Amino acid sequence: MGMAKINPALSYEHCLDYVLITEEALQKRIAEMAAQIDRDYAGRQLILICILRGGVVFLTDLMRKLTLSHQIDFMSVSSYGVGARSSNGAPRIVLDLNTDIRGRDVLLVEDIVDSGITLDYVLRMLNTREPASLEVCVLLDKEDRRKVDITPRYVGFKIPNEYVYGFGLDVDEVYRNLPFIGVLKAEYQ
Ligand code: IMP
Ligand code: MG
């Protein structure tokens, strides 16, 4: 039992199985998502809420492709135990918003929805603050792993049930900077 440890001092390549989504494909899809959001929220005052830390690379690329004026804010939720590669335990708010979202159009920006437990928790919590609207925009969707019913309004890519990293997603807190999405070698999953 148990997975092999990655060596964070080494390049990402030592634990890369294959590139799942290239930089070009990511940027093309994010531009399409931004165009859709521009259309859907035209004339409204949008606030993008990024869930740290995994969502930050997606957020910064997405927001630079939006033409709609918008605000951003951040929150941090811990869901995975240190070194764990799957959900284990209840999520916890580590950092809350600075912005009052009552009556606002809110779009949650997340890297990935896996079991859905994290997003379900965050959505319930934010709904108690009575935003005008609350929707979800995720880059990656691992549908097969869903444990709670979450249907994001915007999905970048549906992906298979593999541990992925890069573009904000980490392996033991490193490799978030990669401009593509890679699949972790089986021995580390
Ligand atoms: P959920 O609560 O199971 O939906 O987990 C969501 C969170 O788990 C995401 O925001 C990620 O931070 C993390 N996560 C889930 N799958 C992966 C993965 O394949 N690579 C990296 N992080 C992941
Ligand atoms: Mg995350």
Side-chain angles (χ1 to χ4, degrees):
M1 275 288 288
M3 65 202 172
K5 281 199 166 77
I6 65 145
N7 181 345
L10 294 181
S11 153
Y12 72 89
E13 288 161 300
H14 82 287
C15 60
L16 180 69
D17 189 349
Y18 59 95
V19 173
L20 180 67
I21 312 173
T22 64
E23 180 172 6
E24 295 69 28
L26 284 167
Q27 295 304 327
K28 179 168 178 278
R29 183 72 187 116
I30 295 169
E32 290 169 0
M33 296 172 88
Q36 186 66 53
I37 293 165
D38 271 341
R39 285 193 291 274
D40 293 349
Y41 288 89
R44 288 155 73 184
Q45 286 214 311
L46 181 62
I47 176 159
L48 302 177
I49 293 180
C50 173
I51 305 183
L52 295 172
R53 289 167 296 236
V56 76
V57 176
F58 178 39
L59 172 83
T60 55
D61 275 351
L62 181 72
M63 67 187 283
R64 283 178 290 178
K65 292 184 165 84
L66 288 175
T67 60
L68 191 79
S69 68
H70 60 274
Q71 285 177 238
I72 59 169
D73 203 351
F74 298 90
M75 59 189 300
S76 182
V77 184
S78 88
S79 50
Y80 285 14
V82 176
R85 305 256 200 274
S86 62
S87 240
N88 60 356
R92 191 166 53 88
I93 301 289
V94 178
L95 173 76
D96 204 342
L97 302 174
N98 272 323
T99 317
D100 181 5
I101 60 165
R102 180 178 302 272
R104 301 294 307 272
D105 289 305
V106 175
L107 185 57
L108 261 182
V109 177
E110 238 306 40
D111 50 359
I112 187 167
V113 56
D114 184 23
S115 69
I117 290 169
T118 307
L119 274 176
D120 182 60
Y121 173 77
V122 170
L123 287 170
R124 282 169 198 275
M125 200 272 289
L126 293 180
N127 263 321
T128 66
R129 301 178 186 182
E130 302 178 334
S133 68
L134 179 59
E135 299 287 349
V136 174
C137 176
V138 292
L139 182 63
L140 307 174
D141 185 355
K142 269 191 211 171
E143 264 180 329
D144 290 351
R145 299 250 311 165
R146 204 73 95 251
K147 288 182 188 149
V148 296
D149 187 24
I150 290 282
T151 311
R153 173 131 182 218
Y154 306 95
V155 174
F157 299 88
K158 294 189 173 171
I159 64 164
N161 181 14
E162 301 272 12
Y163 193 90
V164 292
Y165 67 99
F167 213 79
L169 297 120
D170 69 302
V171 187
D172 300 347
E173 295 301 331
V174 291
Y175 312 141
R176 293 186 194 273
N177 57 307
L178 301 174
F180 54 83
I181 300 282
V183 172
L184 190 64
K185 280 183 182 168
E187 62 260 41
Y188 297 105
Q189 291 205 27

